[in-house]
Amino acid sequence: MSTAESLRQTNEDDVTEALKGAYVSLPLTTAAEVLEAFNLILDAKLGEGAGEVE
């Protein structure tokens, strides 16, 4: 499965798991919260630090 396909299959349980322990929670009310949640979901689905250049 490709990375893009894996991200497309993100579901509510994935989001809930990604936001556990985060300072943001649902419902998201600001653009900053949306961005933080998005980044947390990407980290959870792809692995923290995925794609970083060393």
Side-chain angles (χ1 to χ4, degrees):
M1 178 182 321
S2 72
T3 301
E5 186 63 30
S6 174
L7 291 174
R8 284 187 189 100
Q9 292 183 4
T10 300
N11 60 37
E12 187 176 343
D13 292 336
D14 295 327
V15 173
T16 300
E17 184 64 30
L19 295 181
K20 279 186 182 174
Y23 76 88
V24 295
S25 60
L26 298 174
L28 304 172
T29 58
T30 68
E33 289 177 342
V34 171
L35 182 58
E36 180 63 17
F38 178 74
N39 285 326
L40 290 167
I41 294 163
L42 287 178
D43 285 346
K45 291 293 284 187
L46 301 177
E48 190 146 356
E52 290 182 1
V53 177
E54 294 184 13

